[in-house]
Amino acid sequence: RKEVEQDPGPFNVPEGATVAFNCTYSNSASQSFFWYRQDCRKEPKLLMSVYSSGNEDGRFTAQLNRASQYISLLIRDSKLSDSATYLCVVNWIGGATNKLIFGTGTLLAVQP
Amino acid sequence: ETGVTQTPRHLVMGMTNKKSLKCEQHLGHNAMYWYKQSAKKPLELMFVYSLEERVENNSVPSRFSPECPNSSHLFLHLHTLQPEDSALYLCASSTTSGSSYNEQFFGPGTRLTVL
């Protein structure tokens, strides 16, 4: 099983649609979770951290389910500018190692 | 300058060349990272420095040699690379909380092509 697994997409949605991405992780000892956004040929940028209680930032809602070891990102009222690759990131803890593991990303294309 | 900067932004080199990538962070962070991003693959962590000490080396070939002279600067020295090393090399920095690494902030990357 991959350490962090995401559906690569692409997700093609019309403007105004609601879209959800899921991500699963294999290390139950993981403590920190993030969603990053990466535009084409640009560096990844932090979109939001994911907290156990769930958190919302404008049109974006992130949720964590520790029992099932998955993280979700919900985008409401999609904009053209939301088109990007969304990376699920998990803080992986194994022995003396503590590092962030990135998923392959989910590509979102919002259509006019 | 703010954030994380990287130079050069683009680099083309032959297999026998020696070159260095430079990263500088202006965020007061105490951990810095090198990642490799190839097409259709997830980011691959190469090296982690925390408080200027290397704490992670993910079985990276010796033709990649990192250097962290201080908490704000990170270098990646390249020597005798292979064409499959062509990729986007990203530098990132973060703070640490105890043994945990926090949100990472990335530089714009160096797009490397090895001929």
Side-chain angles (χ1 to χ4, degrees):
Chain A
R1 183 180 177 183
K2 287 183 183 176
E3 292 169 313
V4 178
E5 196 151 6
Q6 295 182 250
D7 181 344
F11 283 60
N12 295 300
V13 302
E15 270 188 292
T18 296
V19 61
F21 307 135
N22 287 330
C23 165
T24 58
Y25 60 94
S26 62
N27 186 350
S28 60
S30 299
Q31 295 179 346
S32 307
F33 308 90
F34 310 94
W35 283 103
Y36 278 74
R37 169 191 169 135
Q38 187 171 22
D39 292 288
C40 186
R41 304 186 75 83
K42 296 284 185 77
E43 73 275 20
K45 291 186 178 178
L46 180 68
L47 178 65
M48 58 197 304
S49 302
V50 186
Y51 303 116
S52 297
S53 55
N55 48 303
E56 188 174 308
D57 182 2
R59 297 181 293 108
F60 299 84
T61 300
Q63 292 196 310
L64 168 63
N65 184 319
R66 284 189 185 273
S68 302
Q69 293 180 211
Y70 81 77
I71 308 150
S72 64
L73 177 67
L74 183 77
I75 305 175
R76 290 180 297 277
D77 188 23
S78 301
K79 312 289 185 191
L80 294 176
S81 56
D82 294 333
S83 298
T85 296
Y86 290 83
L87 303 170
C88 174
V89 185
V90 174
N91 173 233
W92 193 90
I93 300 170
T97 301
N98 183 326
K99 60 188 180 186
L100 294 185
I101 303 293
F102 286 74
T104 53
T106 298
L107 178 62
L108 172 66
V110 181
Q111 316 286 344
Chain B
E1 287 272 23
T2 57
V4 182
T5 58
Q6 288 186 244
T7 53
R9 294 293 306 277
H10 300 272
L11 179 62
V12 179
M13 59 187 287
M15 296 197 310
T16 59
N17 293 157
K18 289 184 181 180
K19 296 286 184 184
S20 295
L21 310 185
K22 179 183 176 182
C23 175
E24 187 172 356
Q25 60 97 0
H26 307 268
L27 299 168
H29 291 165
N30 55 6
M32 297 186 76
Y33 314 78
W34 278 118
Y35 288 89
K36 175 184 178 182
Q37 189 173 36
S38 304
K40 308 288 185 189
K41 289 186 177 181
L43 270 76
E44 300 172 51
L45 179 66
M46 299 175 73
F47 300 103
V48 179
Y49 276 83
S50 177
L51 299 172
E52 301 153 48
E53 284 190 28
R54 190 192 306 181
V55 297
E56 184 80 29
N57 174 356
N58 274 2
S59 302
V60 178
S62 59
R63 57 185 184 269
F64 295 91
S65 174
E67 179 190 359
C68 187
N70 55 60
S71 60
S72 300
H73 294 85
L74 186 65
F75 295 89
L76 187 63
H77 303 301
L78 314 173
H79 174 52
T80 322
L81 294 192
Q82 304 298 310
E84 60 264 29
D85 296 323
S86 299
L88 179 67
Y89 288 84
L90 290 159
C91 173
S93 70
S94 76
T95 57
T96 58
S97 302
S99 60
S100 295
Y101 296 101
N102 299 317
E103 298 95 327
Q104 294 182 13
F105 294 81
F106 285 83
T110 295
R111 191 159 294 280
L112 174 67
T113 302
V114 181
L115 302 176

